[in-house]
């Protein structure tokens, strides 16, 4: 979601060499579009309201996210093979490197979607196999990014001020924690299931504590440094990601733990889901109001489309799934309506970001060299 200024169009790829040239400036921020698409399907599948055709539409959106993931994996492989100088430059750029966390989250979101709605089209055995591969790869990449990117920030990056994009590598383990329990019913009973659940809980802790370290820096940057540059203002929505995803994960643990862990731990996760989720969701709504006001201010001052607009999708989607989980475990209509309202916003944001991205791709501006 790094800023990409309008520039001259890139010719359509007609040969391998031209295709390789077309991806020279394709950064890891593009995986955010996969995340934002997959969450529309995942959140819609669990929406606490019956809408005719909604599940079929969600399955179609999930299929689109899978196609996007495969396309981007191919394009990014070409980028690393033919443009290693740019790839190394991305890793050493403090504005771009954190987006390597998006690779993990894109794989995890698509894998989780295979278990929730994708199985309607590809069957349960294929969904389990696909999710197993994507969950394993996404978790390994996410844990590696959670260590490697902060290491680069300390050792190699020269950073002037804190940024919400710092959250991207450390929130990836939280996505693993939220989607990992979907595989529990397909593991052997006993040690295998318990180990995965506890591993997911550990990744929950890794991401939550890292987020608690980052958030004061980000808020302090806003208070002392003023509003972010216009094109970066949408990244404020990234703060919603760990908040909504931790609430989602806590509710997923509550669904899985009873009968799997001995008392009192199995039942304790149900209480934890509410005790953790309600205050965190409250803070998420506070941040949503603050970030929304700053985005409206930036829009009034001329903020145009950039890939940062995908920040309006996945983070909001995690709040939808978090509200859905709280609705299940509290029975409160307030959380059901919150999930519905946020989902409407999510779909609208996805449509806007997707249409602008498609227009930029067809026009060649989004893959052109920045500044030209």
């Amino acid at each position: 979601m790094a800023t990409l200024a309008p520039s001259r169009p890139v010719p359509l790829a007609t040969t391998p060499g031209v295709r390789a040239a077309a991806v020279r400036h394709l950064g890891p921020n593009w995986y955010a579009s996969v995340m934002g698409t997959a969450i529309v399907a995942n959140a819609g599948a669990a929406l606490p309201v019956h809408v005719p055709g909604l599940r079929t539409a969600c399955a179609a959106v999930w299929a689109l996210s899978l196609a996007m993931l495969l396309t981007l994996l191919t394009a990014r492989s070409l980028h690393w093979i033919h443009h290693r100088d740019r790839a190394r430059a991305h890793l050493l750029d403090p504005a771009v490197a954190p987006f390597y966390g998006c690779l993990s989250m894109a794989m995890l979101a698509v894998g989780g979607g295979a278990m929730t709605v994708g199985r309607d089209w590809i069957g349960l055995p294929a969904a389990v196999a696909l999710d197993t591969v994507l969950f394993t790869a996404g978790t390994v990449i996410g844990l590696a990014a959670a260590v490697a990117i902060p290491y680069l920030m300390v050792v190699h990056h020269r950073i002037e001020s804190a940024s919400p994009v710092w959250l991207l590598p450390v929130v990836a383990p939280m996505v693993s924690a939220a989607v990992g329990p979907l595989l529990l019913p397909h593991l052997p009973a006993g040690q295998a299931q318990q180990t995965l659940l506890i591993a997911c809980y550990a990744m929950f802790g890794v991401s939550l504590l890292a987020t608690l370290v980052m958030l004061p820096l980000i808020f302090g940057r806003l208070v002392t440094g003023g509003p972010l540059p216009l094109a970066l203002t949408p990244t404020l929505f990234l703060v919603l990601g760990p908040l909504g995803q931790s609430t989602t994960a806590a509710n997923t643990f509550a669904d899985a733990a009873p009968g799997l862990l001995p008392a009192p731990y199995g039942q304790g996760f149900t209480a934890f889901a509410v005790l953790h989720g309600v205050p965190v969701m409250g803070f998420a709504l506070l941040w949503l109001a603050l970030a929304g006001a700053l985005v409206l201010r930036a829009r009034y001052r001329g903020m145009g489309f950039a890939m940062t607009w995908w920040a309006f999708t996945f983070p909001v989607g995690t709040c939808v799934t978090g509200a859905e989980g709280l609705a299940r475990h509290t029975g409160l209509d307030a959380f059901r309506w919150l999930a519905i309202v946020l989902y409407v916003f999510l779909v609208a944001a996805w449509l806007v970001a997707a249409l602008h991205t498609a227009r930029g791709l067809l026009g060649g501006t989004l893959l052109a060299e920045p500044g030209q």
Side-chain angles (χ1 to χ4, degrees), residues 35-46:
M35 297 160 52
T37 302
I39 199 66
V40 171
N42 298 350

Side-chain angles (χ1 to χ4, degrees), residues 117-288:
V117 292
R119 63 182 184 180
D120 294 352
W121 285 17
I122 66 175
L124 183 58
V128 172
L130 178 60
D131 188 29
T132 300
V133 172
L134 292 178
F135 173 76
T136 303
T139 298
V140 170
I141 293 170
L143 291 173
V147 176
I149 301 305
Y151 174 85
L152 290 174
M153 292 168 63
V154 172
V155 175
H156 293 290
H157 296 169
R158 295 297 174 261
I159 299 171
E160 296 181 358
S161 62
S163 168
V165 302
W166 289 7
L167 292 169
L168 290 172
V170 300
V171 76
M174 187 68 79
V175 182
S176 291
V179 303
L182 295 173
L183 290 170
L184 288 174
H186 308 283
L187 291 176
Q191 286 284 322
Q193 291 181 333
Q194 293 174 355
T195 299
L196 177 57
L197 179 58
I198 294 301
C200 289
Y201 189 39
M203 289 188 286
F204 173 94
V206 167
S207 183
L208 180 64
L209 295 176
T211 297
L212 292 177
V213 171
M214 297 289 191
L215 279 181
L217 301 176
I218 296 169
F219 186 68
R221 155 65 182 85
L222 293 175
V223 173
T224 60
L228 296 177
L230 296 183
L232 296 180
T233 303
T235 63
L236 291 171
F237 274 65
L238 295 177
V239 174
L240 298 175
L243 303 176
Q245 199 66 272
S246 69
T247 304
T248 301
N251 282 280
T252 306
F253 298 154
D255 293 334
L260 186 60
L261 296 178
Y265 305 110
Q267 291 72 28
F269 272 109
T270 302
F272 176 73
V274 177
L275 294 176
H276 169 84
V278 171
V280 169
M281 186 59 66
F283 179 72
L285 294 177
L286 171 66
W287 190 271
L288 176 62

Side-chain angles (χ1 to χ4, degrees), residues 9-149:
V10 172
L12 293 176
T14 56
T15 67
V18 174
R19 285 194 294 270
V23 300
R24 176 168 174 77
H25 303 290
L26 182 73
N29 56 308
W30 279 79
Y31 286 111
S33 63
V34 179
M35 297 160 52
T37 302
I39 199 66
V40 171
N42 298 350
L47 205 63
V49 61
H50 176 69
V51 177
L54 176 61
R55 187 170 179 86
T56 301
C58 288
V61 173
W62 171 81
L64 174 62
S65 71
L66 176 60
M68 292 171 63
L69 176 62
L70 295 175
T71 301
L72 269 176
L73 287 174
T74 302
R76 286 287 297 162
S77 297
L78 289 172
H79 175 84
W80 270 94
I81 292 171
H82 296 283
H83 306 291
R84 293 180 185 176
D85 61 322
R86 292 301 305 158
R88 287 192 294 268
H90 285 164
L91 283 172
L92 297 178
D93 186 342
V96 179
F99 287 98
Y100 272 91
C102 292
L103 168 58
S104 167
M105 291 186 280
M107 300 175 79
L108 293 166
V110 174
M115 296 295 293
T116 54
V117 292
R119 63 182 184 180
D120 294 352
W121 285 17
I122 66 175
L124 183 58
V128 172
L130 178 60
D131 188 29
T132 300
V133 172
L134 292 178
F135 173 76
T136 303
T139 298
V140 170
I141 293 170
L143 291 173
V147 176
I149 301 305

